[in-house]
Amino acid sequence: MQDNATEVTAAGIARMAGVGRAAVSNWRRRHADFPRPVGGTETSPSFALAEVESWLRKQGKLAEVPLRERVWQQLSGHPDGPVTALTHAGCVLLLIHDRPPVWLELGAGSDERLAEMLPGALREVFTPRFGPESAQPVPQAVNTPGPASAPAADPPIAVNAVHSPSPASPRPAVHTPTGTELLPSVPLLRGVAELAAELGARQTFEFLLGRHLDANPRQYTLTPADLAGLMADLAGPARTVLDPACGTGALLRAAATRPDQKLHAQDSAPELAALTTLRLALHTWSTVRGATGDTLRADAHPQLRADAVLCHPPFNERNWGHDELAYDPRWEYGFPARTESELAWVQHALARLKDGGAGVLLMPPAAASRRSGRRIRADLLRRGALRAVIALPVGAAPPYNIPLHLWVLRRPEKAPAQPEVLLVDVGQFAGEGRGGPDWRAVREAVLDAWQAFGRPGRFTERPGLARALPVIELLDDDVDLAPARHLPPPAAADGAEQLTSVRELLGETLRLTAGLTPPRADTAHPARWPLTTIGELARGGALMLRTGGNGGHARVPVLTDHDVLSGTGPSGTLPESDEEAVLTAPGDVVVPVLGGGSVARVIDTTTAGAALGRNLVLLRPDPAAVDAWFLAGFLRGTANNRQASSYASTATRLDVRRLQLPRLPLDEQRRYGQRFRTLDEFERALRHAGRLGEQLVRGMYDGLTDGTVAPD
């Protein structure tokens, strides 16, 4: 089957050829034989992938499309949409993972035979993995007469999209696609199988899913891997685990540690439920029971009594079922108000736990103090169902500007004689800017406090961090559970000692800064050097140019554009995939391409090895041709950045290839480079002094106002 249906955008062509989008626009204008658009819009056209690949190869602009890129372009340009394509790919990858000989036999035939035989092979895999319901094809819609002017229904966006049942009815997340549905995907599936032979089935799906999530960041709310791991650790070992709002499956993946587990997942978005079910099946040999449907209105697991429930529920939903669920038996601790959807999720979690089972939910901070929820919070405390409230640092999870909470639940086997609740605040471990928190410190502080709280004996209070509070002390008119309102401040001696240390360090930094102040500038005539561009240097082999941000291994630290602008260490993350990330090395020069600032950073030994983040370009100069500090210094020139910037949209974008350098001998480059290096040291000292000054001022204000610092 010829893959003429797959389409690719101008951005995809640029990625395939390793050029900027402007180059693709130039090719369209200058080459009469450039492929004509076959879809898209006038401002954002799409082209047939096969035609584009043929043209690029004929022009000598591409020796061969990398397998990963070709498969991704086939997926993203699939005629039925990328979600359907990704779901079909996940089905075949599970077949390859579980029964590779079956795929080898099927793949040897024609495209038509493969599409015809594949559903039967998938049923043999789906039945033991997902249950007998998944072996059935997608139920077809019942045609209901409507107005003559009514538009035709949109096609399903995933193989599990069902049109006939009530929207509230739960149903299995994965159904066996039919041969007719699979036929347009056959070229993609063959490419996916080839990629799986290179990477492995699980890694291939992670790569494709990561690219899809990265390409659609506003459509999905992701739970960071570090947070998911912390939540799973708080719940403890569990044989049966439920996530009733599973999203992309981060929480269940963190909890899946043994093959005899049973994982239960549900999500109201059919495409997410299907993708997550397939992802979990590829990640573990555990039994996976995925379902799609509105969990609060139509629970797919009403008889389940799980060892653990992990959940990142949707926040601040008014239309959660308040009117139709007034007499639901799950409201054991009180009927939630319309504005308290999060307390409905809390009680759903408790209802699905066995006696003594643990639940961990990510909650907005308002849920701990809104007056409309105080009666439910009070009953949760009295009966010992709410065991801990943990205030996370800003930036722990979306929305990143709010310090979210973790609620740790335990379904009570009997009412405790003297119930206590653990209150923890780890907000002090927030990272700088958009870098996210210090997860190692957060994890150690939270787990240490939680484990100490669970041991017999009196909990030792940790000022400013953790406190076990008798429930009776919280049962006032507000029942406010915000940890910051109940934790004692840090010990006065520690606070004063810390401020003294900061003050001494600031003094040393200011003295260093004064010593690094540049000497008086001597007047010189404007230089008229012969110039070259970064693009010319890259074509001549004097430097290598790479862009970052497509994905990488979850545990690799990532250098973000904010890190480069603020001069801080790697602090970001990339979508998890097994795609090879661009790693920095000493002597590299990293340039942000958004924001209009003239910034370039030379990578040193402390930053080397980090993955390159989004909106960054890495330049790796040949030391025999270009001095790194000379390169970085001239790239920071204001006039240089201005002539290489584009202002076609609301954000200024820098075309790094157009940045200019003077043609100078290497010895002269090094003379300039040494001066640029001393300027960089001066700039970093100024930044460090500024941060220390802010810390000292804030500490003095806090100390004077809470009485831990004397005014004289």
Side-chain angles (χ1 to χ4, degrees), residues 188-203:
L188 165 68
L189 300 181
R190 293 191 185 277
V192 164
E194 188 178 351
L195 189 57
E198 178 182 312
L199 302 178
R202 182 184 69 81
Q203 293 87 345

Side-chain angles (χ1 to χ4, degrees), residues 521-600:
D522 295 327
T523 303
H525 295 292
R528 298 190 180 279
W529 297 298
L531 299 176
T532 185
T533 66
I534 295 297
E536 291 172 350
L537 291 171
R539 286 191 292 271
L543 58 79
M544 183 178 68
L545 187 149
R546 300 287 301 275
T547 58
N550 289 332
H553 299 284
R555 297 297 178 185
V556 177
V558 176
L559 188 70
T560 69
D561 54 345
H562 182 270
D563 298 332
V564 175
L565 293 169
S566 61
T568 55
S571 63
T573 58
L574 286 174
E576 184 179 351
S577 76
D578 285 288
E579 180 177 4
E580 185 178 355
V582 178
L583 302 182
T584 59
D588 290 345
V589 178
V590 178
V591 183
V593 297
L594 292 182
S598 53
V599 177

Side-chain angles (χ1 to χ4, degrees), residues 266-515:
Q266 184 169 352
D267 201 279
S268 59
E271 68 275 14
L272 274 181
L275 294 176
T276 293
T277 301
L278 292 166
R279 188 185 196 188
L280 292 170
L282 285 164
H283 179 74
T284 176
W285 288 100
S286 304
T287 300
V288 181
R289 293 292 183 264
T292 180
D294 185 326
T295 297
L296 294 181
R297 288 187 173 91
D299 182 15
H301 311 286
Q303 306 305 318
L304 179 65
R305 295 299 177 264
D307 298 308
V309 174
L310 302 173
C311 187
H312 178 174
F315 298 160
N316 302 319
E317 284 205 343
R318 296 298 182 96
N319 185 29
W320 58 268
H322 178 271
D323 294 338
E324 57 263 52
L325 298 175
Y327 300 102
D328 195 289
R330 287 173 292 182
W331 315 143
E332 187 178 346
Y333 300 87
F335 180 41
R338 189 183 302 276
T339 57
E340 295 288 352
S341 62
E342 296 85 8
L343 294 182
W345 286 98
V346 165
Q347 294 192 75
H348 174 81
L350 286 166
R352 294 297 160 262
L353 286 170
K354 70 177 185 181
D355 288 347
V360 184
L361 276 74
L362 186 65
M363 302 283 280
S369 54
R370 280 190 298 241
R371 288 188 61 81
S372 54
R374 64 190 186 278
R375 292 183 179 177
I376 295 177
R377 293 196 298 271
D379 207 28
L380 290 169
L381 291 172
R382 287 192 195 96
R383 297 170 62 179
L386 180 58
R387 303 294 292 135
V389 176
I390 301 163
L392 297 170
V394 170
Y400 289 108
N401 60 331
I402 298 175
L404 301 175
H405 288 179
L406 291 178
W407 284 25
V408 184
L409 311 172
R410 187 83 67 189
R411 182 166 181 83
E413 300 178 78
K414 60 181 182 179
Q418 295 179 326
E420 289 188 329
V421 64
L422 176 66
L423 300 179
V424 180
D425 189 340
V426 288
Q428 60 186 287
F429 301 119
E432 294 186 5
R434 297 178 298 176
D438 180 347
W439 277 112
R440 178 177 295 180
V442 168
R443 179 185 180 84
E444 290 177 355
V446 169
L447 294 181
D448 185 49
W450 174 245
Q451 290 163 4
F453 180 67
R455 289 193 287 265
R458 185 170 181 80
F459 180 83
T460 302
E461 190 174 278
R462 302 166 193 198
L465 183 64
R467 181 184 185 187
L469 203 63
V471 163
I472 192 66
E473 295 187 25
L474 294 167
L475 298 179
D476 53 16
D477 290 340
D478 295 321
V479 196
D480 191 334
L481 307 182
R485 303 186 195 279
H486 304 284
L487 292 178
D494 293 343
E497 289 177 5
Q498 184 179 11
L499 289 177
T500 301
S501 176
V502 171
R503 185 178 183 280
E504 292 174 354
L505 187 56
L506 175 60
E508 294 174 7
T509 305
L510 290 174
R511 287 189 290 273
L512 174 63
T513 305

Side-chain angles (χ1 to χ4, degrees), residues 250-275:
L251 295 175
L252 288 175
R253 289 183 72 222
T257 57
R258 30 193 270 203
D260 63 338
Q261 282 179 305
K262 294 183 178 179
L263 306 178
H264 298 262
Q266 184 169 352
D267 201 279
S268 59
E271 68 275 14
L272 274 181
L275 294 176

Side-chain angles (χ1 to χ4, degrees), residues 1-8 35-39 46-55 70 73-80 111 183-188:
M1 171 184 254
Q2 187 66 26
D3 185 22
N4 288 327
T6 301
E7 299 176 10
V8 61
R36 301 296 179 190
V38 297
S46 58
F47 308 83
L49 176 61
E51 294 179 8
V52 168
E53 183 180 355
S54 175
W55 186 87
R70 176 171 178 79
Q73 295 299 340
Q74 288 177 315
L75 187 147
S76 61
H78 193 283
D80 293 331
D111 289 356
L183 189 59
S185 299
V186 168
L188 165 68

